[in-house]
Amino acid sequence: MENPLLETKVWQYLETHLGMDVSAFALLKSPFENLSSAQLAKQLKGLQVLKEKVPLWFESKKVLCPMGLNLEQCSSQATALYKVGLIDEKYPKKNGIDLTCGLGVDAFFFSRIFEKFTLVEQNEELLTLVKENFTNLKVENVDFVLSNAENFLSNNPKSFDFIYLDPDRRNKANQKRILPEDLSPNLHLIVDVLLERSPLVMVKFSPMMDLFQLIDSFFCSEIHVVAVKNQVKELVLLFDKNKENKNPKIVAVNLESTHKTFEFSLKNEQELAISYHSVQKYLYLPNAAILKAGSFKSITKEYEVFKIDTNSHLYTSIELLEDFPGKGYEILEKVENLKSIAKQSFQLVVRNYPLNIHKIKAKYKL
Protein backbone atom coordinates (compact mmCIF):
# COMPACT_ATOMS: atom_id res chain seq x y z
CA MET A 1 0.00 0.00 0.00
CA GLU A 2 1.41 3.37 -1.02
CA ASN A 3 2.41 5.77 1.74
CA PRO A 4 -0.08 8.68 1.72
CA LEU A 5 2.81 11.16 1.58
CA LEU A 6 3.64 9.82 -1.88
CA GLU A 7 0.15 10.22 -3.32
CA THR A 8 0.02 12.54 -6.33
CA LYS A 9 -2.34 15.04 -4.70
CA VAL A 10 -0.08 15.32 -1.64
CA TRP A 11 3.03 15.86 -3.77
CA GLN A 12 1.25 18.53 -5.77
CA TYR A 13 0.22 20.26 -2.55
CA LEU A 14 3.77 20.15 -1.16
CA GLU A 15 5.28 21.36 -4.43
CA THR A 16 3.08 24.45 -4.38
CA HIS A 17 4.51 25.28 -0.94
CA LEU A 18 8.19 24.50 -1.62
CA GLY A 19 9.22 28.13 -1.23
CA MET A 20 7.38 28.56 2.06
CA ASP A 21 9.03 28.73 5.48
CA VAL A 22 8.53 25.31 7.11
CA SER A 23 7.62 26.80 10.51
CA ALA A 24 4.86 28.86 8.93
CA PHE A 25 3.74 25.90 6.82
CA ALA A 26 3.43 23.73 9.94
CA LEU A 27 0.78 26.12 11.27
CA LEU A 28 -1.49 25.49 8.29
CA LYS A 29 -4.31 23.02 8.72
CA SER A 30 -3.73 19.79 6.84
CA PRO A 31 -6.13 19.39 3.90
CA PHE A 32 -5.75 15.60 4.13
CA GLU A 33 -7.62 13.54 6.72
CA ASN A 34 -4.92 10.87 6.96
CA LEU A 35 -1.95 13.25 7.30
CA SER A 36 -1.15 15.69 10.10
CA SER A 37 0.36 19.13 9.64
CA ALA A 38 3.52 17.87 11.36
CA GLN A 39 3.90 14.99 8.88
CA LEU A 40 3.46 17.33 5.95
CA ALA A 41 5.94 19.85 7.39
CA LYS A 42 8.56 17.14 7.92
CA GLN A 43 8.20 15.98 4.33
CA LEU A 44 8.26 19.55 3.00
CA LYS A 45 11.48 20.33 4.85
CA GLY A 46 13.08 17.22 3.41
CA LEU A 47 11.93 17.99 -0.12
CA GLN A 48 13.41 21.48 0.09
CA VAL A 49 16.78 19.88 0.83
CA LEU A 50 16.44 17.09 -1.73
CA LYS A 51 15.55 19.47 -4.55
CA GLU A 52 18.99 21.04 -4.26
CA LYS A 53 20.99 18.12 -2.88
CA VAL A 54 19.62 15.04 -4.69
CA PRO A 55 17.51 16.28 -7.63
CA LEU A 56 17.14 12.77 -9.06
CA TRP A 57 15.28 11.67 -5.94
CA PHE A 58 13.22 14.83 -5.82
CA GLU A 59 12.14 14.45 -9.43
CA SER A 60 11.17 10.81 -8.87
CA LYS A 61 8.43 11.89 -6.41
CA LYS A 62 8.98 8.54 -4.70
CA VAL A 63 11.12 9.43 -1.68
CA LEU A 64 10.13 9.79 1.97
CA CYS A 65 12.22 12.22 3.99
CA PRO A 66 13.65 11.64 7.49
CA MET A 67 14.38 14.24 10.12
CA GLY A 68 17.11 16.84 9.64
CA LEU A 69 20.36 15.24 10.81
CA ASN A 70 20.32 12.46 8.25
CA LEU A 71 19.66 15.00 5.51
CA GLU A 72 22.42 17.23 6.87
CA GLN A 73 25.15 14.59 6.74
CA CYS A 74 24.05 12.77 3.58
CA SER A 75 26.04 13.28 0.40
CA SER A 76 24.73 15.34 -2.45
CA GLN A 77 24.06 13.80 -5.84
CA ALA A 78 27.10 15.62 -7.25
CA THR A 79 29.54 14.33 -4.62
CA ALA A 80 28.06 10.81 -4.70
CA LEU A 81 28.54 10.59 -8.47
CA TYR A 82 32.10 11.87 -8.09
CA LYS A 83 32.89 9.08 -5.62
CA VAL A 84 31.38 6.49 -7.95
CA GLY A 85 33.77 7.77 -10.61
CA LEU A 86 36.75 7.05 -8.35
CA ILE A 87 36.19 3.31 -8.65
CA ASP A 88 38.32 2.47 -11.65
CA GLU A 89 36.99 0.17 -14.36
CA LYS A 90 39.73 -2.37 -13.59
CA TYR A 91 38.25 -3.16 -10.17
CA PRO A 92 35.80 -6.07 -9.86
CA LYS A 93 32.27 -4.97 -9.04
CA LYS A 94 30.54 -8.13 -7.96
CA ASN A 95 29.68 -7.01 -4.44
CA GLY A 96 30.03 -3.81 -2.44
CA ILE A 97 28.87 -2.59 0.95
CA ASP A 98 28.07 0.65 2.76
CA LEU A 99 28.65 0.09 6.48
CA THR A 100 26.95 3.34 7.55
CA CYS A 101 24.25 3.86 4.95
CA GLY A 102 22.23 6.60 6.67
CA LEU A 103 19.72 7.96 4.16
CA GLY A 104 21.35 5.82 1.46
CA VAL A 105 22.30 8.46 -1.12
CA ASP A 106 25.84 7.14 -1.63
CA ALA A 107 24.64 3.53 -1.55
CA PHE A 108 21.99 4.31 -4.17
CA PHE A 109 24.56 5.55 -6.67
CA PHE A 110 27.16 2.88 -5.80
CA SER A 111 24.53 0.16 -6.33
CA ARG A 112 24.29 1.20 -9.98
CA ILE A 113 27.78 -0.14 -10.74
CA PHE A 114 27.77 -3.28 -8.55
CA GLU A 115 26.00 -6.57 -9.18
CA LYS A 116 25.05 -6.70 -5.50
CA PHE A 117 25.25 -4.00 -2.85
CA THR A 118 24.65 -4.27 0.91
CA LEU A 119 23.43 -1.45 3.15
CA VAL A 120 24.18 -1.60 6.88
CA GLU A 121 22.41 0.80 9.25
CA GLN A 122 22.01 0.71 13.04
CA ASN A 123 18.90 2.94 13.23
CA GLU A 124 15.92 0.65 12.64
CA GLU A 125 13.46 3.44 11.86
CA LEU A 126 15.82 4.99 9.32
CA LEU A 127 16.60 1.62 7.72
CA THR A 128 12.86 0.94 7.30
CA LEU A 129 12.49 4.27 5.53
CA VAL A 130 15.50 3.56 3.28
CA LYS A 131 14.05 0.16 2.35
CA GLU A 132 10.78 1.78 1.34
CA ASN A 133 12.56 4.47 -0.67
CA PHE A 134 14.73 1.95 -2.53
CA THR A 135 11.64 -0.14 -3.32
CA ASN A 136 9.87 2.93 -4.67
CA LEU A 137 12.98 3.83 -6.69
CA LYS A 138 13.00 0.27 -8.09
CA VAL A 139 16.47 -0.62 -6.78
CA GLU A 140 16.50 -4.42 -6.66
CA ASN A 141 20.16 -5.47 -6.32
CA VAL A 142 20.49 -4.52 -2.65
CA ASP A 143 20.38 -6.21 0.76
CA PHE A 144 19.66 -4.45 4.05
CA VAL A 145 21.21 -5.29 7.42
CA LEU A 146 20.20 -3.80 10.78
CA SER A 147 23.50 -3.47 12.66
CA ASN A 148 26.32 -1.10 13.45
CA ALA A 149 29.54 -1.41 11.46
CA GLU A 150 31.59 -2.99 14.25
CA ASN A 151 29.09 -5.77 14.99
CA PHE A 152 28.59 -6.49 11.32
CA LEU A 153 32.32 -6.94 10.78
CA SER A 154 32.58 -9.17 13.87
CA ASN A 155 29.66 -11.40 12.90
CA ASN A 156 30.19 -11.56 9.13
CA PRO A 157 33.55 -12.79 7.82
CA LYS A 158 32.51 -12.19 4.20
CA SER A 159 34.82 -10.22 1.88
CA PHE A 160 33.71 -7.50 -0.53
CA ASP A 161 35.11 -5.92 -3.67
CA PHE A 162 34.47 -2.50 -2.15
CA ILE A 163 33.70 -1.10 1.31
CA TYR A 164 32.38 2.40 1.95
CA LEU A 165 31.65 4.19 5.19
CA ASP A 166 30.72 7.66 6.37
CA PRO A 167 31.27 7.72 10.16
CA ASP A 168 28.62 9.45 12.25
CA ARG A 169 29.82 12.90 13.27
CA ARG A 170 27.43 13.47 16.17
CA ASN A 171 27.19 11.84 19.59
CA LYS A 172 24.02 10.85 21.47
CA ALA A 173 23.72 14.41 22.80
CA ASN A 174 23.65 15.67 19.19
CA GLN A 175 27.02 17.38 19.57
CA LYS A 176 29.37 17.56 16.60
CA ARG A 177 32.59 15.57 16.86
CA ILE A 178 35.76 16.49 15.02
CA LEU A 179 38.53 14.03 15.89
CA PRO A 180 38.61 10.75 13.90
CA GLU A 181 38.76 8.68 17.08
CA ASP A 182 35.54 10.28 18.35
CA LEU A 183 33.48 9.31 15.32
CA SER A 184 31.27 6.24 15.06
CA PRO A 185 32.64 3.89 13.96
CA ASN A 186 36.18 4.73 15.04
CA LEU A 187 38.23 4.10 11.89
CA HIS A 188 41.40 3.59 13.95
CA LEU A 189 39.87 0.45 15.47
CA ILE A 190 38.56 -1.16 12.29
CA VAL A 191 40.78 -0.02 9.41
CA ASP A 192 42.91 -3.20 9.49
CA VAL A 193 39.80 -5.37 9.41
CA LEU A 194 38.39 -3.34 6.52
CA LEU A 195 41.55 -3.88 4.48
CA GLU A 196 41.47 -7.60 5.25
CA ARG A 197 37.92 -7.78 3.86
CA SER A 198 38.36 -5.64 0.76
CA PRO A 199 41.11 -4.43 -1.61
CA LEU A 200 39.38 -1.05 -1.92
CA VAL A 201 38.03 1.00 1.00
CA MET A 202 36.59 4.51 0.80
CA VAL A 203 35.87 6.70 3.83
CA LYS A 204 34.09 10.06 3.85
CA PHE A 205 34.97 12.69 6.46
CA SER A 206 33.64 16.13 7.30
CA PRO A 207 35.31 19.10 5.57
CA MET A 208 35.98 20.44 9.08
CA MET A 209 38.45 17.62 9.68
CA ASP A 210 42.16 18.47 9.78
CA LEU A 211 43.47 17.09 6.49
CA PHE A 212 47.03 16.63 7.71
CA GLN A 213 45.89 14.88 10.85
CA LEU A 214 44.12 12.37 8.61
CA ILE A 215 47.30 11.89 6.58
CA ASP A 216 49.30 11.28 9.75
CA SER A 217 46.67 8.92 11.15
CA PHE A 218 45.98 6.68 8.16
CA PHE A 219 48.14 5.25 5.39
CA CYS A 220 45.80 5.87 2.49
CA SER A 221 46.62 5.99 -1.22
CA GLU A 222 44.52 9.03 -2.13
CA ILE A 223 42.76 11.93 -0.43
CA HIS A 224 40.12 13.86 -2.35
CA VAL A 225 39.06 17.32 -1.22
CA VAL A 226 35.63 17.68 -2.79
CA ALA A 227 34.05 21.10 -3.18
CA VAL A 228 30.82 22.06 -4.92
CA LYS A 229 30.58 25.59 -6.29
CA ASN A 230 33.63 26.56 -4.23
CA GLN A 231 32.33 25.19 -0.92
CA VAL A 232 34.25 22.22 0.47
CA LYS A 233 31.74 19.46 1.21
CA GLU A 234 33.73 16.29 1.86
CA LEU A 235 37.15 14.80 2.49
CA VAL A 236 37.35 11.35 0.92
CA LEU A 237 40.08 8.85 1.80
CA LEU A 238 40.78 5.97 -0.56
CA PHE A 239 42.64 2.88 0.65
CA ASP A 240 43.86 0.77 -2.26
CA LYS A 241 45.93 -2.35 -1.63
CA ASN A 242 47.43 -2.07 -5.11
CA LYS A 243 48.77 1.47 -4.69
CA GLU A 244 51.40 3.29 -2.64
CA ASN A 245 49.98 4.25 0.74
CA LYS A 246 52.87 6.23 2.28
CA ASN A 247 52.84 9.28 0.03
CA PRO A 248 49.17 9.80 -0.81
CA LYS A 249 48.02 11.57 -3.92
CA ILE A 250 45.97 14.61 -2.94
CA VAL A 251 43.22 15.67 -5.32
CA ALA A 252 41.39 18.99 -5.12
CA VAL A 253 38.19 19.15 -7.15
CA ASN A 254 35.62 21.93 -7.42
CA LEU A 255 32.46 20.36 -8.85
CA GLU A 256 29.92 22.36 -10.85
CA SER A 257 32.58 24.85 -11.86
CA THR A 258 34.93 25.34 -14.81
CA HIS A 259 38.00 24.68 -12.66
CA LYS A 260 40.25 21.78 -13.57
CA THR A 261 40.95 19.09 -11.00
CA PHE A 262 44.32 19.67 -9.33
CA GLU A 263 46.54 16.81 -8.14
CA PHE A 264 49.77 16.78 -6.15
CA SER A 265 51.64 14.71 -3.57
CA LEU A 266 52.29 15.79 -0.01
CA LYS A 267 55.96 14.83 -0.26
CA ASN A 268 56.52 16.97 -3.35
CA GLU A 269 54.63 19.87 -1.78
CA GLN A 270 56.83 19.76 1.31
CA GLU A 271 60.10 19.50 -0.64
CA LEU A 272 59.32 22.06 -3.34
CA ALA A 273 61.34 25.29 -3.34
CA ILE A 274 59.51 28.28 -4.80
CA SER A 275 60.09 31.98 -5.50
CA TYR A 276 58.09 34.93 -4.24
CA HIS A 277 57.22 38.18 -5.99
CA SER A 278 55.43 41.40 -5.22
CA VAL A 279 52.04 41.90 -6.85
CA GLN A 280 52.24 42.09 -10.65
CA LYS A 281 49.45 42.80 -13.14
CA TYR A 282 47.17 39.91 -12.09
CA LEU A 283 46.27 38.56 -8.67
CA TYR A 284 44.81 35.09 -7.98
CA LEU A 285 43.01 33.37 -5.12
CA PRO A 286 42.86 29.55 -5.46
CA ASN A 287 39.50 27.85 -5.03
CA ALA A 288 38.41 26.46 -1.67
CA ALA A 289 39.35 22.86 -2.49
CA ILE A 290 42.96 23.76 -3.30
CA LEU A 291 43.28 25.88 -0.17
CA LYS A 292 41.87 23.08 2.00
CA ALA A 293 44.19 20.57 0.30
CA GLY A 294 47.20 22.71 1.20
CA SER A 295 48.64 23.01 -2.30
CA PHE A 296 50.32 26.31 -1.57
CA LYS A 297 53.56 25.62 -3.46
CA SER A 298 52.72 22.95 -6.05
CA ILE A 299 50.23 25.24 -7.75
CA THR A 300 52.99 27.74 -8.58
CA LYS A 301 54.71 25.16 -10.80
CA GLU A 302 51.57 23.99 -12.55
CA TYR A 303 50.34 27.48 -13.42
CA GLU A 304 53.56 29.54 -13.43
CA VAL A 305 52.46 32.04 -10.83
CA PHE A 306 54.39 33.57 -7.95
CA LYS A 307 53.31 33.43 -4.33
CA ILE A 308 53.29 37.00 -3.04
CA ASP A 309 54.52 36.09 0.45
CA THR A 310 55.39 33.11 2.63
CA ASN A 311 52.35 33.60 4.85
CA SER A 312 49.92 34.57 2.11
CA HIS A 313 47.95 32.29 -0.19
CA LEU A 314 47.60 34.89 -2.93
CA TYR A 315 49.43 34.52 -6.24
CA THR A 316 50.45 36.84 -9.03
CA SER A 317 51.53 36.89 -12.68
CA ILE A 318 52.30 39.32 -15.49
CA GLU A 319 50.17 37.50 -18.06
CA LEU A 320 46.53 36.55 -17.48
CA LEU A 321 46.01 32.84 -16.72
CA GLU A 322 42.40 32.24 -17.74
CA ASP A 323 42.42 28.60 -16.62
CA PHE A 324 43.71 29.27 -13.10
CA PRO A 325 41.52 27.23 -10.68
CA GLY A 326 40.19 30.10 -8.61
CA LYS A 327 39.40 33.78 -8.85
CA GLY A 328 41.56 36.13 -10.88
CA TYR A 329 41.77 39.90 -10.61
CA GLU A 330 43.43 42.47 -12.85
CA ILE A 331 45.30 45.12 -10.88
CA LEU A 332 44.11 48.49 -12.18
CA GLU A 333 45.30 50.70 -9.36
CA LYS A 334 46.92 50.45 -5.95
CA VAL A 335 45.17 52.59 -3.36
CA GLU A 336 46.87 53.57 -0.11
CA ASN A 337 43.84 55.22 1.50
CA LEU A 338 40.46 53.47 1.18
CA LYS A 339 38.63 56.68 2.08
CA SER A 340 39.66 58.11 -1.29
CA ILE A 341 37.42 55.58 -3.08
CA ALA A 342 34.66 55.35 -0.48
CA LYS A 343 31.99 56.68 -2.86
CA GLN A 344 32.77 54.22 -5.65
CA SER A 345 31.04 50.86 -6.17
CA PHE A 346 33.23 47.79 -5.76
CA GLN A 347 33.43 44.32 -4.27
CA LEU A 348 35.55 44.11 -1.13
CA VAL A 349 37.69 40.98 -0.69
CA VAL A 350 39.90 40.70 2.39
CA ARG A 351 42.98 38.49 2.78
CA ASN A 352 45.94 38.74 5.19
CA TYR A 353 44.50 41.75 7.00
CA PRO A 354 43.66 42.00 10.72
CA LEU A 355 40.19 43.51 10.19
CA ASN A 356 37.24 41.68 8.62
CA ILE A 357 35.04 43.15 5.89
CA HIS A 358 32.43 44.60 8.27
CA LYS A 359 35.05 46.36 10.40
CA ILE A 360 36.82 47.74 7.33
CA LYS A 361 33.55 49.13 5.97
CA ALA A 362 32.79 50.76 9.31
CA LYS A 363 36.30 52.17 9.74
CA TYR A 364 36.51 53.72 6.27
CA LYS A 365 32.76 54.41 5.90
CA LEU A 366 32.53 52.35 2.72
Side-chain angles (χ1 to χ4, degrees), residues 266-278:
L266 180 62
K267 182 179 180 181
N268 291 346
E269 171 71 19
Q270 293 172 334
E271 295 176 351
L272 191 61
I274 65 171
S275 300
Y276 301 89
H277 203 289
S278 58

Side-chain angles (χ1 to χ4, degrees), residues 287-345:
N287 66 42
I290 290 175
L291 292 175
K292 178 66 180 181
S295 176
F296 305 131
K297 294 191 289 185
S298 300
I299 197 169
T300 66
K301 299 304 179 184
E302 181 71 20
Y303 288 94
E304 297 184 353
V305 291
F306 290 102
K307 209 168 186 282
I308 67 170
D309 190 84
T310 306
N311 298 315
S312 174
H313 303 320
L314 293 171
Y315 301 81
T316 191
S317 70
I318 296 176
E319 301 293 333
L320 174 63
L321 302 175
E322 294 184 352
D323 62 343
F324 185 86
K327 290 185 177 181
Y329 302 90
E330 182 180 3
I331 306 299
L332 300 177
E333 181 183 0
K334 295 182 181 180
V335 179
E336 298 294 335
N337 185 358
L338 285 178
K339 289 183 178 180
S340 65
I341 58 170
K343 294 183 179 181
Q344 298 181 29
S345 296

Side-chain angles (χ1 to χ4, degrees), residues 74-125:
C74 81
S75 297
S76 68
Q77 181 171 318
T79 59
L81 287 171
Y82 176 78
K83 283 175 286 192
V84 170
L86 297 181
I87 304 178
D88 196 283
E89 292 182 359
K90 67 182 180 182
Y91 293 106
K93 299 179 180 65
K94 186 176 181 180
N95 61 350
I97 186 170
D98 183 342
L99 288 172
T100 54
C101 85
L103 188 55
V105 175
D106 285 314
F108 172 81
F109 288 101
F110 281 130
S111 70
R112 291 173 148 193
I113 64 170
F114 283 88
E115 293 180 26
K116 198 74 177 178
F117 204 82
T118 302
L119 289 76
V120 178
E121 172 55 46
Q122 62 183 340
N123 183 318
E124 185 173 6
E125 182 180 356

Side-chain angles (χ1 to χ4, degrees), residues 45-275:
K45 184 175 182 179
L47 292 180
Q48 289 174 341
V49 175
L50 283 184
K51 184 178 181 181
E52 300 299 323
K53 210 167 188 180
V54 194
L56 182 65
W57 281 14
F58 175 82
E59 292 162 7
S60 74
K61 301 183 179 182
K62 295 293 183 182
V63 174
L64 296 170
C65 300
M67 294 306 289
L69 287 181
N70 302 109
L71 283 168
E72 175 189 312
Q73 186 168 334
C74 81
S75 297
S76 68
Q77 181 171 318
T79 59
L81 287 171
Y82 176 78
K83 283 175 286 192
V84 170
L86 297 181
I87 304 178
D88 196 283
E89 292 182 359
K90 67 182 180 182
Y91 293 106
K93 299 179 180 65
K94 186 176 181 180
N95 61 350
I97 186 170
D98 183 342
L99 288 172
T100 54
C101 85
L103 188 55
V105 175
D106 285 314
F108 172 81
F109 288 101
F110 281 130
S111 70
R112 291 173 148 193
I113 64 170
F114 283 88
E115 293 180 26
K116 198 74 177 178
F117 204 82
T118 302
L119 289 76
V120 178
E121 172 55 46
Q122 62 183 340
N123 183 318
E124 185 173 6
E125 182 180 356
L126 180 59
L127 187 62
T128 300
L129 181 144
V130 173
K131 285 182 181 179
E132 185 170 354
N133 283 342
F134 274 51
T135 298
N136 293 336
L137 292 166
K138 302 187 184 307
V139 182
E140 299 177 346
N141 63 327
V142 291
D143 291 323
F144 301 92
V145 179
L146 178 63
S147 174
N148 62 31
E150 297 92 335
N151 288 340
F152 179 87
L153 292 171
S154 297
N155 299 326
N156 296 272
K158 184 178 179 180
S159 295
F160 295 87
D161 293 326
F162 171 71
I163 295 177
Y164 176 78
L165 64 157
D166 175 8
D168 190 357
R169 301 192 284 270
R170 289 182 181 270
N171 59 20
K172 293 181 179 179
N174 197 28
Q175 298 170 320
K176 284 189 176 182
R177 297 173 291 186
I178 299 297
L179 298 177
E181 57 268 26
D182 293 333
L183 306 184
S184 179
N186 180 348
L187 187 60
H188 287 287
L189 301 180
I190 64 172
V191 64
D192 291 337
V193 177
L194 295 175
L195 292 171
E196 288 174 2
R197 303 289 179 83
S198 177
L200 188 64
V201 176
M202 186 183 295
V203 186
K204 168 187 166 184
F205 285 104
S206 162
M208 300 299 293
M209 198 73 69
D210 186 317
L211 183 70
F212 299 101
Q213 182 181 22
L214 291 177
I215 293 173
D216 290 338
S217 299
F218 306 106
F219 290 116
C220 58
S221 54
E222 298 179 16
I223 296 181
H224 294 253
V225 181
V226 186
V228 180
K229 296 179 180 178
N230 209 36
Q231 289 189 337
V232 179
K233 298 295 185 181
E234 302 178 5
L235 303 180
V236 179
L237 273 62
L238 198 63
F239 298 82
D240 186 337
K241 285 185 178 180
N242 299 316
K243 292 183 179 179
E244 169 65 46
N245 289 316
K246 294 183 179 179
N247 180 30
K249 177 174 72 174
I250 303 177
V251 182
V253 58
N254 188 19
L255 302 176
E256 299 182 15
S257 78
T258 58
H259 299 167
K260 294 179 181 178
T261 299
F262 188 77
E263 300 180 4
F264 66 103
S265 77
L266 180 62
K267 182 179 180 181
N268 291 346
E269 171 71 19
Q270 293 172 334
E271 295 176 351
L272 191 61
I274 65 171
S275 300

Side-chain angles (χ1 to χ4, degrees), residues 12-71:
Q12 290 174 342
Y13 174 73
L14 292 171
E15 281 187 300
T16 61
H17 293 84
L18 272 178
M20 189 173 181
D21 178 75
V22 175
S23 299
F25 176 79
L27 298 176
L28 300 179
K29 182 180 178 181
S30 171
F32 309 105
E33 292 183 359
N34 56 345
L35 290 170
S36 67
S37 296
Q39 288 175 301
L40 291 170
K42 174 184 171 183
Q43 182 73 355
L44 179 68
K45 184 175 182 179
L47 292 180
Q48 289 174 341
V49 175
L50 283 184
K51 184 178 181 181
E52 300 299 323
K53 210 167 188 180
V54 194
L56 182 65
W57 281 14
F58 175 82
E59 292 162 7
S60 74
K61 301 183 179 182
K62 295 293 183 182
V63 174
L64 296 170
C65 300
M67 294 306 289
L69 287 181
N70 302 109
L71 283 168

